[in-house]
């Protein structure tokens, strides 16, 4: 996938997350503010699956140390956008 804007990358990352975990995104919260643990109940094992799927979808690499800092969809989107622009 070619990433163009933070909003489109975040939306695509959200789609990947829902596909992998089956969670439903809260409708009344801005996408970027959705918390992976508090709002989506994604544990560390699920987060690993999500990161692998995002790496494959966007053809990027996310370091393990960076994975630990991802707490919101907005942070996921920012990291993905940064990685795709660095290619």
């Amino acid at each position: 996938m070619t990433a163009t804007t933070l909003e489109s990358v975040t939306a695509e990352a959200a789609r990947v997350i829902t596909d992998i975990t089956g969670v439903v995104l809260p409708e009344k919260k801005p996408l970027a503010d959705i918390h992976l643990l508090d709002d989506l109940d994604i544990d560390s094992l699920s987060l690993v699956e999500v990161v692998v799927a995002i790496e494959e979808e966007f053809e990027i690499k996310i370091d393990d140390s960076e994975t630990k800092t991802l707490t919101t969809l907005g942070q996921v989107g920012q990291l993905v956008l940064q990685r795709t622009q660095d290619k």
Side-chain angles (χ1 to χ4, degrees):
M1 167 177 197
T2 303
T4 55
T5 66
L6 180 57
E7 292 80 19
S8 67
V9 170
T10 303
E12 185 62 19
R15 184 198 59 76
V16 170
I17 289 170
T18 58
D19 287 352
I20 294 295
T21 64
V23 298
V24 176
L25 299 177
E27 293 181 20
K28 295 185 179 188
K29 196 167 195 177
L31 203 55
D33 294 339
I34 294 175
H35 196 276
L36 300 176
L37 177 60
D38 296 340
D39 296 323
L40 304 181
D41 202 27
I42 294 177
D43 60 16
S44 57
L45 181 58
S46 296
L47 184 58
V48 170
E49 292 178 54
V50 164
V51 167
V52 169
I54 288 174
E55 288 176 327
E56 290 174 1
E57 177 72 23
F58 292 97
E59 300 176 356
I60 60 170
K61 177 68 177 133
I62 299 173
D63 296 330
D64 291 340
S65 61
E66 293 170 313
T67 300
K68 296 174 186 174
T69 66
L70 299 175
T71 57
T72 66
L73 276 175
Q75 290 173 330
V76 173
Q78 288 173 343
L79 181 60
V80 169
L81 187 61
Q82 177 186 3
R83 286 291 184 278
T84 56
Q85 290 175 343
D86 288 346
K87 288 203 265 180

